[in-house]
Amino acid sequence: MRRVLVTGAGTGLGKAIAIELCKNDFEVVLHYRSSKSGIEDALSRINELGKKATSLCFDITNREQCKQILEQDIEQNGSYYGIVCNAGITKDAAFPMMTDDDWDSVVRTNIDGFYNVVKPCIMPMIAAHEGGRIIAISSVSGIMGNRGQVNYSASKAALIGAVKALALEVAKRNITVNAVAPGLIDTQMTELDETVKKEILKMIPLKRMGKPQDVADTVAFLMSDKANYITRQVISVNGGLL
């Protein structure tokens, strides 16, 4: 059974993605840093489906910890066929008011975290000679920018650049690398002021927020054999916002 790592799988999008991938018969490893109760709930729901999943706890901003834990897991259980880099944070503020920590923590988590997770996994994936899938969860903010999110937009745009470059490097190994860019999705990360939310909804042709399942279904498709010829792409899931 193909093993897939999903980072930030204890809440929101990551949780929905992990459960959907299990439904699609992948053996999923759910990563978390602090959302232990969310992971326990996800594992319980996966067990109810009669599927197999495990969890790993580490901080994706800690490069040495990532390397140690991921290499150990790969040594014991085999390489990953797929990686979903979902874990991310926001610390929104108007740029003049943004603190150094607002910038550093978002960049460190959202883009350094991609490197810290994918780097220890890539050579074992290549060495397995079975192809593979790498999917980064970017954002509409990384494509069009968003007021109050210079740090977040920068980090999510950087993910798109990383995906496009890495896709070129590993294509000959039959490893696809894509980004999924959600728009306004109904998760904990979109607890916006109602006035702001109404203004954004006016810009969405479908006139509603997306659901985590909408993103999970897209990721599951990209992870499947049906997406064999799709790489170096940014798939927007945004109700027509962009």
Side-chain angles (χ1 to χ4, degrees), residues 82-218:
I83 305 166
V84 182
C85 291
N86 164 77
I89 62 170
T90 58
K91 287 197 174 181
D92 297 350
F95 190 71
M97 302 298 111
M98 189 171 288
T99 67
D100 291 349
D101 181 67
D102 290 339
W103 177 273
D104 291 342
S105 58
V106 168
V107 169
R108 192 176 298 124
T109 302
N110 296 357
I111 184 63
D112 289 356
F114 173 86
Y115 176 85
N116 294 344
V117 169
V118 175
K119 187 60 162 48
C121 301
I122 192 71
M123 282 309 299
M125 183 183 288
I126 290 170
H129 299 292
E130 295 178 355
R133 300 282 190 266
I134 298 171
I135 301 168
I137 306 300
S138 180
S139 169
V140 66
S141 294
I143 299 173
M144 62 185 288
N146 195 26
R147 186 181 310 226
Q149 289 193 321
V150 174
N151 52 356
Y152 185 72
S153 295
S155 68
K156 292 299 188 177
L159 270 180
I160 291 172
V163 160
K164 287 182 174 291
L166 183 57
L168 290 174
E169 292 189 12
V170 298
K172 64 184 178 182
R173 307 291 187 175
N174 200 28
I175 297 170
T176 67
V177 190
N178 294 289
V180 174
L184 187 64
I185 306 295
D186 189 11
T187 68
Q188 291 176 328
M189 287 187 69
T190 53
E191 293 173 352
L192 302 173
D193 176 84
E194 283 303 314
T195 303
V196 175
K197 192 177 291 185
K198 286 179 181 178
E199 289 301 312
I200 296 176
L201 286 173
K202 289 178 184 178
M203 300 166 61
I204 301 174
L206 287 182
K207 301 301 180 186
R208 63 174 176 84
M209 289 192 291
K211 299 176 181 178
Q213 190 63 42
D214 295 322
V215 179
D217 288 340
T218 304

Side-chain angles (χ1 to χ4, degrees), residues 42-67:
L43 289 174
S44 175
R45 290 167 64 180
I46 289 166
N47 288 335
E48 288 174 4
L49 295 170
K51 305 296 184 179
K52 181 180 178 181
T54 55
S55 65
L56 287 177
C57 179
F58 58 88
D59 182 353
I60 66 170
T61 68
N62 186 324
R63 187 164 296 162
E64 285 306 312
Q65 188 183 61
C66 283
K67 186 174 185 291

